[in-house]
Amino acid sequence: QLQTRRRQQQTQSQKSWPYIRVPALSILPGLLCPHYDRIQSNGVPRMVDFNDMMLRHPKELGIGIDHYAALVVEGEDFRVLHVEGEKGSVTYDGIENDGDDHCDRSTHDVEGASDILGKGVPGVWIKYVDDHGMVQSKVCPKKGKVRDLLQRVKDPERDLVIDERVELCRVLN
């Protein structure tokens, strides 16, 4: 009975945690979601929770990096790498993304997240909240200039939302 109770408590705690924005290494401004194409321990695709986080931080740029992908920054240039033969969330519908421009993926919405997980190649997504309050997603080009990825927050004091739970997390960890 004790093991059953522990298992129930563990299952409950896995389903009740929220994402929060925390300060990181400051290599790039904005929000970053690693393992973007994975389903979390709470059963929710990370891309779904990341979209919710984008809505809480609408002035910031978001970068979602699939499990088998990497965003390599070298000086003012970047490139996207991925492990050949592994699956990810980027599908091109027959359109080759040669790195010269963004490949729009209008069918990449979080409502159908489970439909696309594991059906494409690993990649990187650029996300932002448009003027209508909708999260937009574009496949990151395979290479380019870092400045093209950045969205500068004009007034950090006003526009950056610092979650008060950060201090609690620090205490608990």
Side-chain angles (χ1 to χ4, degrees), residues 105-123:
R105 178 69 169 121
S106 59
T107 58
H108 174 77
D109 63 40
V110 295
E111 299 301 322
S114 59
D115 295 337
I116 66 167
L117 290 176
K119 295 193 176 165
V121 297

Side-chain angles (χ1 to χ4, degrees), residues 37-91:
D37 61 331
R38 294 295 192 223
I39 295 176
Q40 310 163 126
S41 61
N42 62 2
V44 177
R46 289 178 72 103
M47 61 180 63
V48 171
D49 276 347
F50 193 52
N51 269 18
D52 291 343
M53 179 172 263
M54 292 295 305
L55 292 172
R56 290 193 309 272
H57 302 276
K59 302 285 186 183
E60 296 194 64
L61 177 81
I63 298 175
I65 302 175
D66 282 353
H67 184 70
Y68 288 107
L71 178 66
V72 179
V73 175
E74 297 172 317
E76 60 186 45
D77 298 316
F78 75 87
R79 59 193 165 111
V80 174
L81 303 176
H82 72 273
V83 178
E84 292 293 329
E86 295 294 343
K87 299 294 184 190
S89 67
V90 178
T91 59

Side-chain angles (χ1 to χ4, degrees), residues 50-52 54-55 127-130 133-137:
F50 193 52
N51 269 18
D52 291 343
M54 292 295 305
L55 292 172
K127 302 178 78 67
Y128 61 95
V129 178
D130 67 17
M134 302 293 294
V135 177
Q136 300 297 319
S137 303

Side-chain angles (χ1 to χ4, degrees), residues 22-30 32:
V22 297
L25 299 175
S26 299
I27 295 171
L28 295 173
L32 176 73

